Amino acid sequence: MFELLKTDSATQARLGRLVTVHGVVDTPVFMPVGTQGSVKALDPRELEEMGTQILLGNSYHLYLRPGLDIIREAGGLHRFINWPKPLLTDSGGFQVFSLAKIRKIQAHGVEFRSHLDGSLLFLGPKEAMEIQRALGSDIAMVFDDCPAHTATPRELRAAVDRTLRWAAECREQPRAPGQMVFGIVQGGGQAALREECAKALTSLRLDGYAIGGVSVGEAEAEMMKAVEYTTPFLPADQPRYAMGLGTPAQLVELVARGVDMFDCVLPTRVARNGTAFTRRGTLSIKGAACKRDWGPIEEGCACFACLRFSRAYLRHLLNVDEILGLRMVSLHNSHLFLKVMEEMRAHLEAGTFAKFRRGFIANYVPSRRVLAARKDGPFSAEETR
Amino acid sequence: MFELLKTDSATQARLGRLVTVHGVVDTPVFMPVGTQGSVKALDPRELEEMGTQILLGNSYHLYLRPGLDIIREAGGLHRFINWPKPLLTDSGGFQVFSLAKIRKIQAHGVEFRSHLDGSLLFLGPKEAMEIQRALGSDIAMVFDDCPAHTATPRELRAAVDRTLRWAAECREQPRAPGQMVFGIVQGGGQAALREECAKALTSLRLDGYAIGGVSVGEAEAEMMKAVEYTTPFLPADQPRYAMGLGTPAQLVELVARGVDMFDCVLPTRVARNGTAFTRRGTLSIKGAACKRDWGPIEEGCACFACLRFSRAYLRHLLNVDEILGLRMVSLHNSHLFLKVMEEMRAHLEAGTFAKFRRGFIANYVPSRRVLAARKDGPFSAEETR
């Protein structure tokens, strides 16, 4: 189902094509995050217009609300949210370990309390796959144990063991027609554990492999290492997905390290604080510098927001809490993430990726504040991937 | 600038054409409310697609934020918000008398404290016209004294006197190129005062006349009477505008009483509580009845929301606080208001308005809750017209 079209000669970057039940996905790809069945503040037409190929939905959130009965009755998640293109669903593992109050980790899953009403629930490989089968996503993720970046070596070890056991269980569950299942490599920042986990997981012959246990509070350098410890042990002919990442510059660096798929809440999350991404880094549209700035968010950008509105107007909207303000910044940011991926695909095709990467990274000034929003920001229920 | 094309034979309904600097407005017309330079939750493309001819902006709000210097520098309100079609601006009179803390009513205006930061400000006919000149609206409203519906006869009298004096002052102020100025008739529920105010005002030969002092907390019957006390004394060949009104059924009844122009925050305000307007009355999309309702908000409606989404999905979005939910209900409601006006124009053209009116009113079940939202709802700063 995955076709590796080309590998860059100077880096590990890959150009690929992933065929799903609901259509083809060109990789490297960024997946906008529609946690609760909607990419925050955006509508499906806007997502189509900016070239979205695949959306991410979340088992944990959708299981709590609206609940599986509703989505089953709708005929699956595609029809419920009216998104005819591919969907990937997260298994809920990340959310159970980061959002919920865990009561007890058991052999076949986790007993936890809902972050919404405290009700006692159970989620394990069987349940997560059952949910994703009902959602009918094109790609389901295995239910994994995703420890915090503060986990001890002993905890990391236990998480890898559980993740592997659970992945094997997930593999045996019934699936929606044509549904792919991706494994998730854990192991924190430990090279040996990452290698062991990747090797054991790939022996299960799943449809793709994700790098998990990143975007859990670690520094960028650690995140890059976790990826580098993992990719050498993943099969070249299958898709690789770095979960919950990252900034535009990080996406470029991760593509250079051989990652094909990404998802991240950053574009819409920081938009709601009035922060816009550009190719030079981030920009506070709410800031006084934009007060009389009659240019678009980003010069040369062809998104709806940049074609129509000035920074000064958007600043006004954000400052008086008009929804159009955060809508437009969310739109611009998501558009930029998708365009950067599109450009990377074009440069991979043309054999000019390494040059593009150098130029992009030289131009992009990372913002500590935005990295912090990714790492330490309050993980509200609605915002996790 | 106003052409009365046709008067209905069975009612007082009128078909007209208002020519403004930024284009022609077919009347009867509903003006979506963009108080702070944005129709809440909607974008200009959505407004265009639903057939919006003219938007309303607000002097009071825009004067406070972003301030006139910014809008002047942008080249006026049309360019600031990127809306190339006609704009009408309210004078700020209504807001000063309903939102601000009045310190002192003086001969030439009102000294008041901003509802935002308590700063001491002054607004009168001169200032209101200066603001509207800077905004560059196609239609400016005079600065009036708009008393509450609880006002005593003495207070109503004083308000009429002041309103007339101020209207004469407004008339003498410099205007933006081609800008029209509409007078506002006050007089509460008193027939004699309404007549006197209308007659005195029309002697000023302004470009149009509004019925003010409605939508200030009075019951529907009182509102209708206030309109009926006023229209007979307004010139037939000039546009008539009922300020801050109403529900779809009220719009139909007011058109039948000879009113040409309307504005109202209801479509977007109630949408944010999950209430949708239909031709049969209102509907709580958040309600349990929509949980498994796979139909659109309104059968046969061609708005973006109804073409794309089910009530069940929108209910989910509203219940999990996803912005797309209130966006889509705002869009549907605004679309409905505009389509009802469009149909009234078509029926006036065809000579079938009276029949349309009977059918519409018979079908529409008014909701006490929605009438209350209009009358007694908390007038938050962001939501007044």
Side-chain angles (χ1 to χ4, degrees):
Chain A
M1 306 194 192
F2 181 72
E3 198 182 343
L4 182 64
L5 299 172
K6 202 167 177 181
T7 303
D8 186 46
S9 56
T11 71
Q12 297 172 62
R14 299 136 54 90
L15 188 71
R17 240 173 81 92
L18 180 63
V19 181
T20 80
V21 174
H22 288 84
V24 172
V25 175
D26 295 315
T27 64
V29 67
F30 178 77
M31 304 182 280
V33 179
T35 306
Q36 305 188 109
S38 162
V39 177
K40 290 201 182 302
L42 302 181
D43 75 43
R45 175 169 69 168
E46 291 163 336
L47 289 165
E48 280 160 36
E49 285 174 352
M50 61 177 80
T52 304
Q53 303 185 71
I54 173 170
L55 287 187
L56 181 143
N58 203 290
S59 294
Y60 174 87
H61 293 282
L62 294 166
Y63 172 67
L64 295 184
R65 295 184 301 191
L68 288 194
D69 53 338
I70 298 292
I71 293 179
R72 273 202 192 96
E73 221 177 279
L77 186 58
H78 290 87
R79 295 185 63 176
F80 183 59
I81 70 174
N82 197 7
W83 176 257
K85 295 187 178 187
L87 281 173
L88 177 146
T89 46
D90 200 357
S91 64
F94 181 82
Q95 285 69 35
V96 164
F97 285 92
S98 62
L99 279 182
K101 276 207 168 63
I102 291 178
R103 238 181 83 94
K104 211 174 180 182
I105 303 184
Q106 301 178 347
H108 298 286
V110 184
E111 197 179 86
F112 64 96
R113 291 197 177 276
S114 153
H115 75 282
L116 292 173
D117 62 3
S119 61
L120 196 61
L121 299 164
F122 186 88
L123 214 56
K126 196 161 169 253
E127 293 74 18
M129 293 307 289
E130 178 56 30
I131 294 170
Q132 294 179 91
R133 186 187 176 196
L135 296 175
S137 53
D138 299 86
I139 304 169
M141 301 302 299
V142 299
F143 187 80
D144 62 329
D145 179 339
C146 182
H149 84 296
T150 50
T152 62
R154 196 192 167 109
E155 286 167 334
L156 287 177
R157 166 88 259 165
V160 164
D161 290 343
R162 238 178 248 124
T163 293
L164 289 172
R165 217 165 53 235
W166 288 349
E169 270 189 79
C170 285
R171 196 178 174 285
E172 301 315 313
Q173 303 306 314
R175 306 179 183 184
Q179 190 173 45
M180 288 183 259
V181 176
F182 281 18
I184 304 176
V185 179
Q186 293 290 345
Q190 305 209 352
L193 261 184
R194 286 274 171 191
E195 176 178 348
E196 181 193 331
C197 189
K199 284 179 170 168
L201 207 59
T202 54
S203 77
L204 292 177
R205 306 210 167 278
L206 296 162
D207 301 303
Y209 299 94
I211 300 155
V214 285
S215 191
V216 293
E218 79 286 2
E220 184 179 280
E222 288 175 65
M223 177 271 282
M224 291 292 174
K225 267 190 197 154
V227 172
E228 289 162 8
Y229 292 157
T230 309
T231 48
F233 308 103
L234 298 179
D237 59 353
Q238 287 190 285
R240 303 162 178 178
Y241 163 27
M243 302 185 83
L245 295 169
T247 64
Q250 288 174 343
L251 297 185
V252 172
E253 282 304 313
L254 288 165
V255 165
R257 284 163 174 78
V259 179
D260 309 305
M261 301 169 70
F262 305 90
D263 79 284
C264 194
V265 296
L266 271 183
T268 49
R269 179 188 291 177
V270 305
R272 296 198 296 283
N273 302 323
T275 299
F277 280 100
T278 76
R279 279 151 211 272
R280 293 161 159 265
T282 53
L283 169 79
S284 170
I285 300 292
K286 273 181 137 172
C290 289
K291 198 171 177 182
R292 305 187 131 78
D293 190 334
W294 306 106
I297 299 176
E298 186 163 22
E299 213 58 67
C301 175
C303 83
F304 180 83
C306 287
L307 292 180
R308 295 243 180 180
F309 305 119
S310 66
R311 289 178 175 182
Y313 176 55
L314 295 173
R315 174 181 187 267
H316 163 66
L317 293 179
L318 291 163
N319 281 335
V320 299
D321 292 323
E322 284 288 348
I323 288 170
L324 186 58
L326 60 91
R327 268 185 66 182
M328 290 300 107
V329 183
S330 297
L331 191 152
H332 167 82
N333 287 352
S334 301
H335 180 269
L336 176 66
F337 275 58
L338 290 162
K339 290 305 142 186
V340 170
M341 302 312 288
E342 212 173 293
E343 283 166 37
M344 284 198 273
R345 291 196 300 270
H347 282 287
L348 282 165
E349 184 75 53
T352 51
F353 174 76
K355 195 182 161 205
F356 167 81
R357 173 195 185 185
R358 275 195 305 278
F360 194 93
I361 299 301
N363 207 30
Y364 192 92
V365 182
S367 139
R368 221 173 301 172
R369 205 160 57 83
V370 166
L371 290 174
R374 176 63 275 188
K375 284 197 308 167
D376 311 314
F379 276 65
S380 96
E382 284 68 32
E383 294 186 308
T384 37
R385 65 152 189 260
Chain B
M1 305 190 191
F2 182 72
E3 196 183 345
L4 182 64
L5 299 173
K6 203 169 181 181
T7 303
D8 187 45
S9 55
T11 72
Q12 298 171 62
R14 301 138 50 91
L15 188 70
R17 242 172 79 92
L18 181 63
V19 180
T20 80
V21 174
H22 289 85
V24 172
V25 175
D26 295 316
T27 65
V29 67
F30 179 77
M31 303 183 280
V33 179
T35 307
Q36 305 189 110
S38 163
V39 178
K40 290 202 181 302
L42 303 181
D43 74 44
R45 174 168 70 168
E46 291 163 337
L47 290 164
E48 280 161 35
E49 285 175 351
M50 61 177 81
T52 304
Q53 302 185 72
I54 173 170
L55 287 187
L56 182 144
N58 202 289
S59 294
Y60 173 87
H61 292 282
L62 295 166
Y63 172 67
L64 296 183
R65 295 184 300 192
L68 288 195
D69 52 337
I70 298 292
I71 293 178
R72 273 203 192 97
E73 220 176 282
L77 187 56
H78 291 87
R79 294 185 65 177
F80 183 59
I81 70 174
N82 196 5
W83 176 256
K85 296 188 177 188
L87 281 173
L88 178 148
T89 45
D90 199 358
S91 64
F94 181 84
Q95 285 68 37
V96 164
F97 285 91
S98 62
L99 279 183
K101 276 207 169 61
I102 292 179
R103 238 180 83 93
K104 212 175 180 179
I105 303 185
Q106 301 181 347
H108 298 286
V110 185
E111 197 179 86
F112 64 96
R113 291 199 176 274
S114 153
H115 75 281
L116 292 175
D117 62 2
S119 59
L120 196 61
L121 300 163
F122 185 88
L123 216 54
K126 197 162 169 250
E127 293 75 16
M129 293 307 288
E130 178 57 29
I131 293 170
Q132 293 179 92
R133 185 187 177 198
L135 296 175
S137 52
D138 299 85
I139 304 168
M141 301 303 298
V142 298
F143 187 80
D144 61 331
D145 180 338
C146 182
H149 84 296
T150 50
T152 63
R154 196 193 168 107
E155 285 167 334
L156 287 176
R157 168 87 258 165
V160 164
D161 290 345
R162 237 178 249 124
T163 292
L164 288 172
R165 217 166 51 235
W166 289 348
E169 270 190 77
C170 285
R171 196 180 175 280
E172 302 314 315
Q173 303 306 313
R175 306 178 182 184
Q179 190 172 46
M180 288 182 258
V181 176
F182 282 18
I184 304 176
V185 180
Q186 293 290 346
Q190 305 209 353
L193 262 183
R194 285 274 171 190
E195 177 178 347
E196 181 193 332
C197 190
K199 284 179 170 170
L201 208 58
T202 54
S203 75
L204 292 176
R205 305 211 168 276
L206 297 162
D207 302 302
Y209 299 93
I211 300 154
V214 286
S215 191
V216 293
E218 79 286 0
E220 185 180 279
E222 289 177 64
M223 178 271 282
M224 290 292 174
K225 268 189 198 157
V227 171
E228 288 161 9
Y229 292 156
T230 309
T231 49
F233 309 103
L234 298 179
D237 59 353
Q238 287 190 284
R240 303 161 178 178
Y241 163 27
M243 302 185 83
L245 295 170
T247 65
Q250 288 174 344
L251 297 185
V252 173
E253 282 304 312
L254 289 164
V255 165
R257 284 163 175 77
V259 179
D260 309 305
M261 299 170 70
F262 305 90
D263 78 284
C264 194
V265 296
L266 271 184
T268 49
R269 180 188 288 177
V270 305
R272 297 197 296 283
N273 302 323
T275 300
F277 280 101
T278 76
R279 279 152 211 271
R280 294 161 158 264
T282 52
L283 169 81
S284 170
I285 301 291
K286 272 181 138 172
C290 290
K291 198 171 176 181
R292 305 187 130 77
D293 191 333
W294 307 105
I297 299 177
E298 186 163 22
E299 213 57 66
C301 175
C303 83
F304 180 83
C306 287
L307 291 180
R308 295 243 181 177
F309 305 120
S310 66
R311 289 178 175 183
Y313 175 56
L314 294 173
R315 173 181 188 268
H316 164 65
L317 293 179
L318 290 163
N319 281 335
V320 300
D321 292 322
E322 284 287 348
I323 286 169
L324 185 59
L326 61 91
R327 269 185 65 181
M328 291 299 107
V329 183
S330 298
L331 190 152
H332 167 81
N333 288 352
S334 302
H335 179 271
L336 175 67
F337 275 57
L338 291 162
K339 291 303 143 188
V340 170
M341 302 311 288
E342 211 173 294
E343 283 166 37
M344 284 198 273
R345 292 196 299 271
H347 283 287
L348 282 165
E349 183 76 52
T352 51
F353 175 76
K355 194 181 163 205
F356 168 81
R357 174 196 184 184
R358 276 196 305 278
F360 195 93
I361 299 301
N363 207 31
Y364 193 92
V365 182
S367 140
R368 221 172 304 171
R369 205 160 57 82
V370 166
L371 290 175
R374 176 61 276 189
K375 284 196 307 168
D376 311 313
F379 276 64
S380 95
E382 283 71 29
E383 292 186 308
T384 37
R385 65 156 188 258

